[in-house]
């Protein structure tokens, strides 16, 4: 069970970093149009789309990626707590 927990937490951590890198690409003109940016877009946009539907942009600032990252962090913390309960670790 520890192996599965480690894999899931690692996947959530890596995906969080992928989202952060995708967000940072918006600071550089044309970066999202590169093959690297398009690949990240295919990975991240399906996850960000529901947040963008719920949270409107504040002027020119889109805060939905911040909320998405928080959701990933909360999911990781919830997974950790679930593991501790199932493993009997207090």
């Amino acid at each position: 069970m520890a192996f599965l927990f480690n894999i899931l937490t690692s996947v959530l951590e890596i995906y969080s970093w992928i989202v952060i890198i995708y967000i940072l690409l918006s600071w550089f003109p044309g970066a999202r149009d590169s093959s690297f940016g398009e690949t990240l877009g295919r990975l991240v946009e399906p996850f960000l789309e529901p947040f963008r539907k719920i949270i409107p942009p504040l002027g020119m600032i889109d805060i939905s990626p911040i909320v998405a990252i928080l959701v990933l962090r909360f999911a990781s913390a919830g997974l950790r707590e679930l593991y501790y309960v199932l493993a009997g670790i207090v």
Side-chain angles (χ1 to χ4, degrees):
M1 186 161 65
F3 179 70
L4 181 61
F5 168 74
N6 289 334
I7 288 175
L8 289 174
T9 54
S10 296
V11 166
L12 286 173
E13 183 72 25
I14 291 169
Y15 194 73
S16 294
W17 281 107
I18 290 173
V19 172
I20 291 169
I21 292 169
Y22 184 70
I23 294 166
L24 292 176
L25 285 179
S26 68
W27 294 1
F28 303 101
R32 285 190 179 175
D33 296 331
S34 68
S35 61
F36 179 70
E38 289 177 0
T39 302
L40 287 182
R42 278 188 241 116
L43 292 173
V44 174
E45 283 298 329
F47 179 66
L48 292 179
E49 185 178 341
F51 296 101
R52 289 192 175 130
K53 288 180 181 177
I54 296 170
I55 304 166
L58 300 172
M60 296 290 292
I61 300 173
D62 183 14
I63 62 167
S64 59
I66 296 169
V67 175
I69 291 171
L70 287 174
V71 167
L72 286 172
R73 298 296 177 174
F74 285 137
S76 180
L79 183 64
R80 185 179 329 106
E81 289 299 319
L82 181 64
Y83 172 72
Y84 290 157
V85 168
L86 292 177
I89 301 170
V90 177

